[in-house]
Amino acid sequence: MDTNLTKTNYPALYTLITVFFFWGFIAAGNSIFIPFCKDYFSLDQFQSQLVDFAFYTAYYIGALLLFAFGNVNGKDIVGKWGYKKSIVYGLLFSALGAGAMIIAVEASVYVGMLVGLFIVALGFSLQQTAANPFAILLGNPKTGASRVNLGGGINSFGTTIGPIVVALALFGTTASVSDEQIKALELNKVVLLYIAVGLLFVAAAALFYFSKKVPSGIVSEPIEKANKALKTLIVMTILLGAMFTPIFQSYKSDEAIAIVKLEKQLNELKKNLKEAKTSEVNDIVLIENEIKTIKEPLEQERMLWLSGALLVILGGILFSYTSARKKAEGWGAMQYPQLVLGMLAIFTYVGVEVAIGSNLGELLKLEEFGSMQSSDIAPYISMYWGSLMIGRWAGAISVFNLTGTKKTIALIIVPLIAFAIILGVNIISGKDMKPLYYYVLCVFAQIMAFFLSKDKPARTLIIFGLFGVIAMLVGLFSTGIVAIYAFLAGGLACSIMWPSIFSLSIIGLGKYTSQGSAFLIMMILGGGIIPPIQGKLSDIIGIHQSYIVAVICFAYLTLFAVLVKGILKKQNIDVDVIETEASH
C-alpha cells in the first residue's frame, strides 16, 4: 500500500462519497423510468423490467470480469491499478454509458437505452469494487465502518431524490400526465438530464485524477486462485444467456406479431366505441378471446425459460458448494457454507429490493390502488427508496458508540428526521405528500424492530425478514392505502439487510475473505433476474398477485439467518459479536 493513514483524509473522503450518490440516484430513478418506458414504447411488464435486467446484470458481468482477470494474473486488478485510478476509470466508463443513453433517447430506441444503462452500471461495478475498501483506507481502520456508513447515507439520499428528478425530466411538470399522453411527450429533458449526469461523471473523474489529496490506494497483495469456481461461473453465465435468448426471440415470433396487431385492433375498437352496439361489443369479445388463446401458451413458455434462469443460479451455486466440500482445491471461498448461502441471500435481497420498487408504478395504476398515472407515482417511489435511507441512517447510529439514553433517543429521532427529509424534498418539488403522512406509523414499527434487534446481525436479519414477510402478506391481502403502505414498508425491511447478510457470509473465511466479498458482489445479479421474473408473472396472473415473489424472497432471507446462525455456531463463531456496516 502506498500510504499509511491514521487521521481521516476528509478532502479525499468527501470526493469519494460523490460516487455513492450516483449509484443511488440512477438505480432509484430507474423505478420511474420503467413505467414510463412501458407506456412510451408499448411494452409488457417483463419488457419494461429489462431496465433492471440491463442495469444489474452489468454489476455481475463487471465483477466477474474483475475476478477472472485477477484469477489469471494472481493479483487483484483493482488493487494493482489503485483505488483512485479504478474509480476514475469507472466514472469515465459510466460517462460513456450516459453518452450512449443520450444517443438512444434522441433516436427513441429502447434497446439502445438498455445498452446505455448497462454501460453506466458496468462503470458502477468498478467504482463499487474500489470505493468501499478505499473509504476504509482513508483513515484509521478502526473507524472505517463510519466512513462506509457515511457513503451509505449519501447513497440513500441519492435514491430519495433520484425518482423526483427523473420524474421532472420525463414529465416536465408536476401536473398529471395521462398514460395516453406519454406517447406524445418529447424526451429533450431526458437528454438534458443525461448530459448533466455525463458531465458530472467526467467532473468527478477529473476531481479524483487531479486531486493531490486523494491517495492512489495501490494494494499489491496476491489473491487466492479459484479456477474451478471461475469455470463454473462462466458456464452459469453462458447458460443464463441461453435461457434469456429464447425469451427475447419470442417477442419477434409470428404469435407475438399477431398479438400486437390484434391489440391495436382492440384499442381502436374501444376508442371508437361511443355506444354499446351489439356487433362492436361482440367484436371486442372475439378479439380478446383470440388474444388470450395465443398469449397464454406463449407467456407460459417465457415463464418456463425464466424459471430455468433461476435454476441456473441456484443449481450453479449449490453445485459449487457440494463439489468444494468433496475437494476444496480450486474452489476457494465456495467451500464455506455461510458464503454459499450468503450468495443466494444477496441475490435474493437485491432482487426483492429492486423488484418491489420497479413493479410499484404498475401496481399503483390499478383502480383499487388509486388509478394513478405514471407521472403521479414519483412521491411513492421516492418514499419506497427513502425508506431504505431511514433504515440505513438508523443502522449507522451504532458506529458512534452511543449508549443508554443517548442511543435510545437517537434510534427514535434519526429515522423521524430521515422521514421528514423525504417529505420535505418531495414537497419542495411540488408533490402532494398528504397521502403519505401516516406512513410514519410504519417508521415507528421499524424503530421497534431496531430495539428488538440489539445490533446483532443474525437477530436483525430474522426480525427484519419477518417484518418483510408480514408487510408483503398485508399488501397481498388488502388494497388501497393500507396495501400501499405495506408494500412501501418493504423498503424499511430491506434497509438494514445488506450489512447483516454480508457480515454473516464472510465471517470465518480467513484468507478467502476478499474473494468471498467478490462473489457476494457478483450476486447483485439478483436485481437483474428477480424483477423480470415478477414482471412476467405479472403478465400472467396480475401485478398485485405477482408480489408473492417478494413474500418468498423475504422468507428465504429469514431462513438464511436461522441456518447461518447454526452453521457459525458449529464453527465456534459467536454471531453476536460480528460488526456490521450499513452500506452497499
Side-chain angles (χ1 to χ4, degrees):
M1 200 177 293
D2 69 337
T3 183
N4 183 23
L5 299 172
T6 54
K7 290 184 179 179
T8 300
N9 185 338
Y10 286 107
L13 179 62
Y14 296 148
T15 305
L16 176 64
I17 60 175
T18 57
V19 300
F20 284 79
F21 176 85
F22 288 138
W23 305 338
F25 180 91
I26 299 293
N30 287 344
S31 296
I32 295 290
F33 208 54
I34 286 167
F36 170 83
C37 286
K38 181 178 181 180
D39 293 323
Y40 190 83
F41 294 104
S42 301
L43 309 172
D44 66 21
Q45 191 64 7
F46 166 78
Q47 288 173 303
S48 70
Q49 293 295 324
L50 292 178
V51 168
D52 284 333
F53 175 78
F55 192 77
Y56 290 97
T57 301
Y59 270 95
Y60 169 72
I61 297 295
L64 179 59
L65 288 172
L66 290 172
F67 172 63
F69 288 136
N71 197 72
V72 170
N73 297 324
K75 286 187 178 181
D76 178 12
I77 193 167
V78 172
K80 185 179 178 182
W81 287 341
Y83 297 137
K84 179 178 178 177
K85 278 189 178 179
S86 296
I87 290 172
V88 170
Y89 295 154
L91 285 164
L92 292 176
F93 214 84
S94 293
L96 187 66
M101 274 293 289
I102 291 164
I103 295 168
V105 171
E106 284 278 20
S108 291
V109 178
Y110 182 57
V111 174
M113 294 182 189
L114 297 180
V115 171
L117 281 170
F118 181 87
I119 298 170
V120 168
L122 209 55
F124 284 1
S125 177
L126 180 54
Q127 293 166 40
Q128 185 150 331
T129 302
N132 284 295
F134 199 20
I136 294 169
L137 172 66
L138 295 175
N140 190 324
K142 291 181 180 179
T143 58
S146 64
R147 292 188 290 280
V148 175
N149 282 324
L150 176 62
I154 298 299
N155 172 274
S156 295
F157 183 65
T159 64
T160 302
I161 69 167
I164 301 169
V165 175
V166 172
L168 288 172
L170 288 170
F171 306 111
T173 175
T174 55
S176 181
V177 179
S178 73
D179 292 344
E180 288 75 23
Q181 291 173 317
I182 283 175
K183 292 180 187 294
L185 287 176
E186 293 185 7
L187 300 183
N188 55 319
K189 288 190 177 179
V190 180
V191 172
L192 291 175
L193 172 65
Y194 271 92
I195 288 173
V197 168
L199 290 174
L200 284 170
F201 285 145
V202 173
L207 192 63
F208 265 91
Y209 185 77
F210 292 110
S211 175
K212 293 180 179 178
K213 293 188 176 181
V214 178
S216 61
I218 294 172
V219 179
S220 56
E221 295 175 2
I223 63 170
E224 297 295 329
K225 289 197 173 188
N227 293 324
K228 291 178 182 177
L230 176 59
K231 287 177 184 176
T232 304
L233 287 166
I234 291 171
V235 170
M236 283 169 58
T237 307
I238 293 168
L239 288 174
L240 282 173
M243 293 295 169
F244 274 94
T245 299
I247 303 172
F248 298 148
Q249 288 178 338
S250 73
Y251 282 94
K252 298 176 183 178
S253 66
D254 293 339
E255 293 87 349
I257 293 167
I259 289 168
V260 171
K261 287 180 180 178
L262 288 167
E263 285 178 339
K264 282 183 179 178
Q265 288 178 31
L266 186 65
N267 291 333
E268 285 298 318
L269 276 172
K270 287 182 176 179
K271 195 184 294 182
N272 297 326
L273 186 64
K274 294 179 181 177
E275 297 177 4
K277 295 179 180 178
T278 305
S279 61
E280 289 177 338
V281 171
N282 287 340
D283 287 343
I284 288 173
V285 172
L286 284 170
I287 292 172
E288 285 177 339
N289 288 336
E290 192 175 351
I291 290 171
K292 187 178 179 181
T293 303
I294 301 171
K295 204 170 189 177
E296 278 187 0
L298 188 62
E299 294 291 28
Q300 287 169 4
E301 185 183 340
R302 289 167 177 166
M303 194 68 214
L304 196 64
W305 284 112
L306 277 169
S307 301
L310 188 61
L311 284 174
V312 166
I313 301 295
L314 299 175
I317 293 174
L318 292 175
F319 165 77
S320 300
Y321 172 63
T322 53
S323 300
R325 292 294 285 177
K326 291 175 184 176
K327 189 178 180 181
E329 187 182 350
W331 286 104
M334 284 194 181
Q335 64 191 275
Y336 293 91
Q338 63 264 42
L339 177 74
V340 175
L341 292 172
M343 288 171 71
L344 291 176
I346 289 289
F347 178 87
T348 305
Y349 156 72
V350 178
V352 71
E353 176 189 280
V354 175
I356 293 171
S358 295
N359 287 287
L360 195 59
E362 190 63 19
L363 182 78
L364 295 175
K365 291 180 182 180
L366 296 179
E367 186 179 348
E368 58 268 34
F369 284 86
S371 301
M372 297 183 202
Q373 307 292 342
S374 295
S375 58
D376 301 328
I377 65 172
Y380 297 89
I381 301 295
S382 177
M383 183 59 75
Y384 172 72
W385 289 104
S387 294
L388 278 91
M389 181 177 81
I390 293 170
R392 287 172 186 169
W393 283 18
I397 290 169
S398 59
V399 173
F400 300 102
N401 296 319
L402 298 177
T403 56
T405 306
K406 288 182 180 178
K407 186 173 183 178
T408 301
I409 293 170
L411 274 173
I412 296 170
I413 297 298
V414 169
L416 295 176
I417 290 172
F419 177 66
I421 289 172
I422 299 163
L423 290 177
V425 294
N426 276 279
I427 290 168
I428 290 168
S429 73
K431 302 296 182 184
D432 178 17
M433 298 302 287
K434 289 177 184 176
L436 290 170
Y437 285 170
Y438 290 105
Y439 184 66
V440 72
L441 297 173
C442 297
V443 177
F444 277 118
Q446 189 203 41
I447 291 169
M448 183 64 68
F450 269 112
F451 279 112
L452 293 172
S453 299
K454 298 179 180 178
D455 285 335
K456 297 175 180 179
R459 185 186 177 100
T460 297
L461 200 52
I462 290 169
I463 289 170
F464 278 82
L466 290 172
F467 184 100
V469 169
I470 294 166
M472 295 304 103
L473 287 174
V474 170
L476 273 172
F477 291 103
S478 62
T479 56
I481 198 67
V482 171
I484 291 172
Y485 280 14
F487 288 130
L488 292 178
L492 296 172
C494 287
S495 62
I496 199 65
M497 285 186 168
W498 174 278
S500 297
I501 297 168
F502 214 95
S503 55
L504 288 168
S505 301
I506 62 171
I507 190 71
L509 266 59
K511 64 180 181 180
Y512 295 109
T513 300
S514 178
Q515 187 184 95
S517 298
F519 288 153
L520 291 171
I521 293 294
M522 286 181 207
M523 288 300 102
I524 289 176
L525 174 66
I529 302 293
I530 291 176
I533 287 176
Q534 185 179 345
K536 182 47 64 189
L537 193 62
S538 164
D539 291 330
I540 297 170
I541 66 172
I543 187 67
H544 189 188
Q545 291 75 16
S546 73
Y547 272 82
I548 188 67
V549 170
V551 176
I552 295 167
C553 289
F554 281 122
Y556 171 70
L557 292 169
T558 308
L559 178 63
F560 163 74
V562 174
L563 291 176
V564 82
K565 190 173 183 179
I567 288 166
L568 294 176
K569 191 175 181 180
K570 287 180 182 178
Q571 297 176 8
N572 296 317
I573 296 171
D574 184 0
V575 295
D576 291 337
V577 299
I578 301 171
E579 293 183 1
T580 62
E581 294 176 355
S583 168
H584 88 92

